[in-house]
Amino acid sequence: QWYQRRVGATTEVNSPILCSRYSFDGKYIAFGCSNGDIKIFYTQTYNHVYTLTPDEGKKLPVTCIRFKHNEGKDLYVLTATYSSGHVRFWYVTSKQLGKEIKEGVELFCCDFNYNFSKFATGGDDYKIRIYDVERMTRLNMLSKGESFERMDGHASRVFAVKYHPDNEHVLLSCGWDNTIQIWDDREGHAIRRIFGAHVCGDALDMDPVYYHVLTGSWRRDNALQVWDFDSGRLIKNVPLQIQNSTDKKVCHLYCAKWAGTDFIACGGSDNNAMRIIEKSSIQTIGTLDGLNRGCYTLDYIEINNVPHVTCASGSNVYFMSLNV
């Protein structure tokens, strides 16, 4: 059984939460807020321990967070994108801002490749930007070609990017144009595409074992889907309705993630809920219902072999774990 603990963080988090991420060892979890702050919680006690605040006049929302493996004095380094167009590297425990980049567009998402040599961002100009991590310089800009006969790039906003778990050059992206674009980050245009996903948040993931692609779409029907990466075919539509439930509302998804090898975690709006779904039976086995606002973000990690899922609704944080 899954059990949950709510942190009503009205004093620690005084702004709606838009994104979240665990550190690699599960010691910390970071929450990006609409007021530009990043709140860091210590997972052993659920206490708020650090706040990362940019030194600028008008602070705009944090849209995506990713932790980076780091060696040296400060092991906990995260990268965050902002709707202001900034990409910022933060040293968490010292609360120091490292390198930063300013782009002239709203940025909504980011991801590192598996060896942390590069990272990618996506935003409101339909383009994917590739950066060198050490130099913090742009290596490439990926976009749709000029041909109207071939959709080799995005035609609308990009809300999710995900690097392949084993290939340092291959990444996926999706957004409002109902496509999953597949890129080689050394090329200028997408190398192929999968049609069918309407993604509005951090709702793109890839299984590192079978390379199955998970998407969560903001729509009523067929919102949660699993795709085969190699062929591009749809493997299955995962139902969001709870078996024998009388609730007719369906969750329009903003976030979705593979939760280890056994589960899928997803959340969204309309019925303002988060679901944990067993992969083998595709049945909902854990729920967090009746939230005051939509669930815009969640993350998963195993700590001491115990699965944990954290999500946020408004300025409230929820921690769930498998009772083993």
Side-chain angles (χ1 to χ4, degrees):
Q1 298 293 319
W2 288 81
Y3 66 91
Q4 61 94 5
R5 171 174 177 174
R6 173 178 173 271
V7 178
T10 54
T11 56
E12 292 99 351
V13 182
N14 55 7
S15 179
I17 297 167
L18 302 179
C19 54
S20 60
R21 201 70 170 184
Y22 277 104
S23 61
F24 292 102
D25 57 1
K27 183 177 181 179
Y28 299 110
I29 185 167
F31 296 98
C33 303
S34 62
N35 67 355
D37 288 344
I38 298 175
K39 300 288 186 176
I40 310 295
F41 281 73
Y42 181 55
T43 58
Q44 291 296 313
T45 61
Y46 305 109
N47 289 334
H48 165 247
V49 289
Y50 306 112
T51 298
L52 311 178
T53 303
D55 184 17
E56 59 182 358
K58 184 179 180 180
K59 297 190 295 182
L60 293 177
V62 185
T63 54
C64 191
I65 292 171
R66 294 290 185 266
F67 272 88
K68 173 185 176 293
H69 276 299
N70 196 54
E71 297 179 357
K73 183 178 180 180
D74 197 330
L75 297 178
Y76 301 98
V77 178
L78 65 79
T79 296
T81 56
Y82 297 74
S83 62
S84 61
H86 284 93
V87 183
R88 294 186 170 106
F89 274 56
W90 289 96
Y91 295 93
V92 173
T93 56
S94 64
K95 299 185 289 184
Q96 295 298 309
L97 175 63
K99 302 172 183 177
E100 70 175 357
I101 297 171
K102 175 67 167 71
E103 301 287 2
V105 299
E106 290 185 74
L107 297 177
F108 302 130
C109 52
C110 64
D111 198 38
F112 287 99
N113 66 352
Y114 77 88
N115 60 15
F116 297 94
S117 62
K118 292 179 287 188
F119 69 95
T121 64
D124 72 343
D125 65 347
Y126 321 161
K127 296 179 175 62
I128 308 296
R129 291 168 170 81
I130 307 298
Y131 303 90
D132 179 275
V133 170
E134 291 302 320
R135 298 181 180 88
M136 280 293 280
T137 55
R138 190 196 302 163
L139 298 174
N140 204 355
M141 181 130 50
L142 316 181
S143 63
K144 184 180 181 299
E146 296 181 359
S147 172
F148 292 102
E149 299 178 356
R150 183 173 58 186
M151 194 172 182
D152 55 355
H154 285 293
S156 191
R157 290 181 163 195
V158 179
F159 283 97
V161 292
K162 179 67 179 180
Y163 261 101
H164 192 285
D166 295 322
N167 190 317
E168 64 176 300
H169 300 297
V170 174
L171 68 154
L172 297 80
S173 62
C174 49
W176 278 356
D177 63 8
N178 302 320
T179 68
I180 306 168
Q181 297 289 337
I182 301 170
W183 313 81
D184 183 318
D185 64 16
R186 298 164 295 187
E187 305 292 333
H189 310 306
I191 54 178
R192 58 190 179 95
R193 65 226 43 89
I194 301 171
F195 290 94
H198 183 78
V199 171
C200 298
D202 194 359
L204 171 66
D205 202 6
M206 181 181 279
D207 174 5
V209 178
Y210 301 104
Y211 303 145
H212 290 165
V213 178
L214 179 71
T215 57
S217 294
W218 196 88
R219 62 189 178 209
R220 177 178 176 80
D221 298 320
N222 300 328
L224 189 61
Q225 296 176 301
V226 180
W227 311 82
D228 180 70
F229 172 75
D230 291 328
S231 67
R233 69 177 179 88
L234 177 65
I235 297 174
K236 67 177 66 175
N237 290 303
V238 180
L240 293 176
Q241 287 282 67
I242 300 175
Q243 202 170 29
N244 301 322
S245 173
T246 58
D247 186 4
K248 300 301 181 182
K249 286 187 176 181
V250 177
C251 198
H252 292 58
L253 296 181
Y254 279 108
C255 49
K257 187 178 180 69
W258 291 115
T261 57
D262 299 320
F263 307 105
I264 299 169
C266 62
S269 64
D270 194 17
N271 68 342
N272 295 346
M274 191 271 283
R275 298 270 185 269
I276 299 172
I277 299 168
E278 189 176 45
K279 185 178 178 181
S280 59
S281 66
I282 63 170
Q283 296 298 317
T284 296
I285 61 168
T287 65
L288 193 58
D289 292 309
L291 302 173
N292 291 331
R293 297 189 181 185
C295 174
Y296 295 112
T297 181
L298 57 81
D299 199 19
Y300 165 88
I301 198 170
E302 288 190 11
I303 303 175
N304 297 325
N305 297 318
V306 177
H308 290 71
V309 173
T310 296
C311 72
S313 173
S315 59
N316 292 320
V317 178
Y318 298 84
F319 296 90
M320 299 181 70
S321 60
L322 186 62
N323 192 6
V324 296

